[in-house]
Amino acid sequence: MATRTAAQRRAEARAEYNAFLAACPSQQLLARVSGKWVTLVLSALGSGPDCDGDPRPMRYSELGRVLAGVSPKMLSQTLRSLERDGLISRTATATVPVTVTYELTDLGLSLHQTVRQLKRWSETHQDEVAAHRAAFDAARGEDPVPRGGAQPEAVP
Amino acid sequence: MATRTAAQRRAEARAEYNAFLAACPSQQLLARVSGKWVTLVLSALGSGPDCDGDPRPMRYSELGRVLAGVSPKMLSQTLRSLERDGLISRTATATVPVTVTYELTDLGLSLHQTVRQLKRWSETHQDEVAAHRAAFDAARGEDPVPRGGAQPEAVP
DNA sequence: CGGTATCCTAGTAGATACTG
DNA sequence: CAGTATCTACTAGGATACCG
């Protein structure tokens, strides 16, 4: 029969939607960039260790020092995924001990520029957001007036 | 004594770094924007249900229909966090049944513009990334030459 | 030095059911 | 219609130990 429950209809819709989400370039980019260390690696390679210089290649251990507290696993994983997407290039020199450097590609550099735009927005508006957030929290804490939805019941 | 293990030093560094990360506006923004439904809500409110119109207010259930497959919980949660940050505004009209509409604020609109920049980048470069990715995977699959690190052992 | 392999935890997304 | 409450599942992130 053609009758479906709401849950079934949602499940079907979700199945279709997954294809859309998977195909949607901006969602993919967000998934790539939203990793905890991705933007930090990008910044380090794009603006030097001091975050306000020129792009330059860096070694694995140097990145590990700049991104304080990163575990070897996450650093490896992040670098590998960025390399996979052609955003950074990896160069191994057969010295002893082996020397490996990472560097932004042109593609990675262009992404870094775009991310800087986002960074600029957040720097410009961070206090606005903070103010809204504080106001919102204060309103909910001190004046819990019902806003149409259910409100947590006060002590009887 | 002042001697610390590598793990202890990393832990300390991480503790300091957390403050930096928490304070870093761009990281905060990314955390805010990288939620699965955040950008979709932003797009829906910023470009209409067809994703290529003008910004206009939408109702809860309308958003639920446009963002196919979203559960009421996630929709609520996403809308609430966006409202908290002052990116959208919520308006409840005391009709029966109650009518609630959501709308981008100026702040939310400006963020939407910025996110569109990111979207543009991903649309421009998505095939480059895909090509790199394919090449990388092919190289690893067909020519597993050791690149300095350990390679997964073949069957003995 | 530059990683990989293994195990573990904690936060986030989703299903389901219920309320004003 | 517009949510809230509760439970479960998944996976990103991290600690640890070890190899080339």
Side-chain angles (χ1 to χ4, degrees), chain B residues 54-132:
Chain B
D54 295 324
R56 72 168 180 82
M58 293 176 74
R59 296 179 56 174
Y60 179 89
S61 53
E62 196 177 2
L63 283 168
R65 238 172 293 119
V66 172
L67 310 180
V70 68
S71 66
K73 172 191 162 183
M74 289 316 296
L75 186 52
S76 249
Q77 192 171 297
T78 305
L79 289 170
R80 178 142 327 216
S81 75
L82 289 173
E83 186 197 2
R84 188 168 109 100
D85 288 355
L87 299 172
I88 67 177
S89 66
R90 178 184 186 277
T91 311
T93 314
T95 55
V96 47
V98 64
T99 306
V100 181
T101 61
Y102 294 90
E103 186 174 8
L104 281 185
T105 62
D106 290 350
L107 192 59
L109 200 59
S110 79
L111 177 58
H112 179 232
Q113 299 304 326
T114 310
V115 169
R116 280 173 73 106
Q117 299 300 317
L118 210 61
K119 189 175 175 181
R120 200 144 324 170
W121 186 93
S122 56
E123 284 166 353
T124 310
H125 297 285
Q126 66 170 319
D127 41 358
E128 274 185 81
V129 171
H132 274 289

Side-chain angles (χ1 to χ4, degrees), chain A residues 8-149:
Chain A
Q8 283 174 317
R9 260 180 281 115
R10 263 220 316 274
E12 285 181 26
R14 198 164 68 80
E16 289 176 39
Y17 217 56
N18 279 345
F20 172 65
L21 282 179
C24 181
S26 54
Q27 291 303 114
Q28 285 186 315
L29 177 63
L30 240 72
R32 170 82 28 235
V33 159
S34 64
K36 187 169 181 182
W37 303 104
V38 176
T39 52
L40 298 168
V41 167
L42 241 50
S43 292
L45 291 175
S47 308
D50 314 333
C51 263
D52 61 344
D54 295 324
R56 71 168 179 82
M58 292 177 73
R59 296 180 56 174
Y60 179 89
S61 51
E62 196 177 0
L63 284 167
R65 239 172 293 120
V66 172
L67 310 180
V70 68
S71 67
K73 173 190 161 182
M74 289 317 295
L75 187 53
S76 245
Q77 191 171 298
T78 305
L79 289 169
R80 178 143 325 219
S81 76
L82 289 173
E83 185 197 2
R84 188 169 109 102
D85 287 355
L87 300 172
I88 66 176
S89 65
R90 179 185 186 277
T91 312
T93 315
T95 56
V96 46
V98 63
T99 306
V100 181
T101 61
Y102 293 91
E103 186 174 7
L104 281 184
T105 61
D106 289 350
L107 191 60
L109 200 58
S110 79
L111 177 59
H112 179 232
Q113 299 303 327
T114 310
V115 169
R116 280 173 74 105
Q117 300 298 319
L118 209 62
K119 188 175 176 180
R120 200 144 323 172
W121 186 94
S122 56
E123 284 166 354
T124 309
H125 298 284
Q126 66 169 319
D127 42 358
E128 274 185 81
V129 170
H132 274 290
R133 198 177 292 196
F136 186 84
D137 291 350
R140 286 184 54 84
E142 298 170 11
D143 182 30
V145 57
R147 284 166 22 261

